[in-house]
């Protein structure tokens, strides 16, 4: 299902003349862990139960090692029945302007898709279900090579995450998204930053 989700996201990026994304193991582990944690913890949100944000999880991972800047965003969603498929989830994200902006941001080069074959129990009524987490990221070494740090272009980045209302699309079967998590940093990622919780 993860490969199908990546394929569908890349198909949308190709249609909109954006570069294809590379699957990254570190980002995939982060995404899979968040999807599983939401199911086990019976909640639906961008942050971990311990309060770690998507960018904090990426900063302490192998993905951020040997990099001087980092840009990242996250889309999450869950669905039941026929809306638990990769095609339904990607279609839903494309119909949601803030999620679509993240998926089509050209500066993102890497992706990790995590899918739990369940959803937080209090959100579903026993139908087949799935919870999705997708991490988008780009890393740069602009300080070493004299290039600019990766960034989400302002025309595509949309409003700050705290300004985006929660998007919930309810059907029977059900499909739901939270506001997308768009975190952008070009601050140095160093050993002190990476070990901070």
């Amino acid at each position: 299902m993860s490969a199908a989700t990546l394929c569908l996201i890349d198909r949308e990026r190709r249609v909109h003349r954006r570069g294809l994304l590379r699957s990254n193991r570190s980002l995939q582990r982060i995404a899979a862990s968040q999807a599983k944690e939401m199911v086990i913890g019976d909640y639906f949100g961008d942050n971990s139960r311990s309060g770690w944000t998507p960018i904090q999880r990426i900063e302490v991972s192998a993905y951020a090692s040997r990099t001087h800047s980092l840009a990242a965003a996250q889309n999450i969603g869950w669905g039941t029945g026929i809306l638990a498929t990769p095609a339904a989830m990607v279609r839903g994200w494309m119909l949601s302007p803030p999620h679509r902006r993240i998926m089509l941001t050209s500066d993102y080069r890497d992706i990790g898709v995590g899918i739990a074959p369940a959803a937080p129990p209090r959100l579903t009524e026993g139908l087949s279900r799935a919870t999705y987490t997708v991490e988008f990221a780009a890393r740069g070494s602009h300080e070493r090579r004299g290039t600019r740090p990766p960034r989400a272009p302002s025309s595509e980045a949309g409003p700050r995450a705290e300004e985006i209302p929660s998007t919930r699309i309810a059907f029977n079967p059900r499909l739901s998204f939270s506001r997308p998590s768009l975190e952008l940093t070009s601050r140095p990622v160093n050993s002190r930053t990476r070990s901070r919780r």
Side-chain angles (χ1 to χ4, degrees), residues 47-63:
N47 296 345
S48 69
R49 287 184 289 175
S50 59
W52 284 52
T53 67
I55 198 97
Q56 288 171 326
R57 292 189 301 266
I58 294 171
E59 282 178 334
V60 299
S61 73
Y63 182 81

Side-chain angles (χ1 to χ4, degrees), residues 71-106:
Q74 172 181 274
N75 280 352
I76 62 173
W78 63 269
T80 60
I82 60 170
L83 296 177
T85 65
M89 189 60 57
V90 171
R91 186 172 34 257
W93 282 329
M94 287 301 290
L95 293 172
S96 166
H99 293 88
R100 176 187 173 100
R101 279 185 205 109
I102 288 173
M103 286 176 44
L104 298 180
T105 296
S106 5

